[in-house]
Amino acid sequence: MTNQHLNFDTLSQQVISTLQADIETLLNHANLPSPLHEACHYAMTGQGKKVRPLLVASGYLTVLASSQAATIDTLPLFDDNCRRAMLAVEFLHTYSLIHDDLPCMDDDDLRRGRPTCHIKFGEATALLAGDVLQTLAFEALSADLPGFAPISNDKAASLLTLFAPRARRMVSGQMLDLNAENKQVSQPQLEAIHRDKTGALIEAAVLMGAACADANDTQYQALTSFATNVGLAFQVQDDILDVTSSTDTLGKPTGSDEGLNKSTYVKLMGVEAATDYAKSLFLAANQAIDDNFDKNSSLIDLAQWLWQRQK
């Protein structure tokens, strides 16, 4: 077998189709009562970018290509443990969006181009939907699921060890973000917020994918650098798009950060300087991959796609 470079569009399509089927499997496994099941299904099947599952798959393929003779000729492109990790990060991310949109948080009525979960199903059901999606994110890493090979205790433990503290950091970052509303914060303070709020789950996604491919310590270090830079760049981009994009393009209300008087990179630096900063972070992320992996890494393609995104 020989190493070959996988077209990013092909990878994206494969991740999305696999994830869609696996979401149905996990929700059916949960056997949730109505209307909780319907609310969870609604939230999990919106037209999101699937960035975090793509990061899992790209991390997995990047390490696999460097660790052994690999081919992209045969499907599936990723093993069952990688599928579990993709589910975990997408379920956790979606829970955070449901809760972010609630009136007690950002009070948004549009998400991914559709009414938010609490607008569609009511606040109580939306709150519980977020709660159960969070628990299912962890269950995905250990449960006996139809169509999945059993996961070993050692592999489940290694994935949970990567996932759990970063899930906790995401919530801590959300609290820090709320604390920073209506305040002037420095760039180091702002970065500390977003390394947790946005960056922690991005870091978990990349490292869990790497763990599924049995990455070594040197590879983990390089991938942590990549993920840290991409996570921060992603948030800087979000701040820029909140003031430069339209609601129709973004799929959620623009100007919401300004309306809540949030601390953002645009407020701190201006659009031009923030754009330059995001570019520098993407370049640093790419360098970490170039220095340690094949030049045609799926992670490089993913970073390029993220840099060009408009929503």
Side-chain angles (χ1 to χ4, degrees), residues 49-308:
K49 298 179 288 296
K50 305 297 185 285
V51 170
R52 289 146 192 88
L54 279 165
L55 284 163
V56 173
S58 296
Y60 173 79
L61 292 171
T62 294
V63 173
L64 198 66
S66 296
S67 301
Q68 64 183 55
T71 182
I72 62 168
D73 292 336
T74 58
L75 297 178
L77 294 171
F78 18 81
D79 70 6
D80 288 359
N81 293 339
C82 187
R83 289 166 59 200
R84 289 175 181 275
M86 290 193 296
L87 274 174
V89 296
E90 187 66 7
F91 269 66
L92 194 83
H93 175 58
T94 305
Y95 125 71
S96 74
L97 299 182
I98 293 173
H99 281 194
D100 274 352
D101 291 336
L102 288 171
C104 61
M105 295 280 282
D106 290 350
D107 195 15
D108 282 327
D109 58 8
L110 195 67
R111 170 70 67 177
R112 294 172 173 171
R114 303 190 302 174
T116 49
C117 194
H118 70 274
I119 295 294
K120 183 78 172 178
F121 293 94
E123 288 183 40
T125 299
L127 180 67
L128 291 174
D131 290 344
V132 80
L133 291 181
Q134 182 187 37
T135 65
L136 284 170
F138 289 89
E139 194 169 348
L141 297 176
S142 60
D144 288 332
L145 299 173
F148 285 77
I151 187 170
S152 71
N153 289 338
D154 286 346
K155 184 61 72 176
S158 70
L159 292 176
L160 286 166
T161 298
L162 291 168
F163 189 47
R166 291 171 175 86
R168 179 253 304 154
R169 281 175 52 202
M170 182 190 75
V171 179
S172 294
Q174 290 172 316
M175 187 74 257
L176 292 173
D177 187 46
L178 288 174
N179 290 345
E181 289 180 5
N182 302 306
K183 294 180 181 178
Q184 291 280 348
V185 299
S186 66
Q187 185 172 340
Q189 290 172 319
L190 194 57
E191 291 186 359
I193 293 169
H194 292 127
R195 288 189 193 281
D196 282 352
K197 182 188 176 188
T198 303
L201 190 53
I202 285 176
E203 190 177 299
V206 174
L207 297 183
M208 289 167 74
C212 292
D214 297 322
N216 59 41
D217 289 344
T218 300
Q219 290 171 331
Y220 275 126
Q221 290 175 7
L223 291 169
T224 299
S225 176
F226 170 87
T228 299
N229 283 291
V230 164
L232 196 52
F234 192 85
Q235 182 61 52
V236 178
Q237 276 188 307
D238 269 1
D239 288 356
I240 295 167
L241 291 171
D242 190 63
V243 299
T244 62
S245 188
S246 67
T247 296
D248 287 344
T249 299
L250 208 55
K252 61 183 180 180
T254 55
S256 58
D257 289 343
E258 184 176 357
L260 293 169
N261 200 16
K262 284 184 174 288
S263 298
T264 70
Y265 291 93
V266 170
K267 183 185 295 186
L268 187 68
M269 309 170 77
V271 171
E272 185 175 350
T275 301
D276 289 342
Y277 185 45
K279 183 177 181 179
S280 72
L281 291 165
F282 277 120
L283 289 173
N286 289 345
Q287 193 64 52
I289 301 303
D290 283 342
D291 290 346
N292 294 276
F293 297 96
D294 185 90
K295 301 298 182 185
N296 292 323
S297 164
S298 299
L299 285 172
I300 295 290
D301 287 349
L302 179 51
Q304 181 64 24
W305 176 68
L306 290 174
W307 168 241
Q308 295 173 342

Side-chain angles (χ1 to χ4, degrees), residues 19-62:
L19 191 66
Q20 286 173 338
D22 291 345
I23 286 169
E24 299 290 344
T25 296
L26 185 54
L27 288 178
N28 288 336
H29 160 82
N31 194 28
L32 302 171
S34 182
L36 186 58
H37 173 86
E38 290 80 3
C40 289
H41 190 272
Y42 178 83
M44 290 300 306
T45 54
Q47 297 300 309
K49 298 179 288 296
K50 305 297 185 285
V51 170
R52 289 146 192 88
L54 279 165
L55 284 163
V56 173
S58 296
Y60 173 79
L61 292 171
T62 294

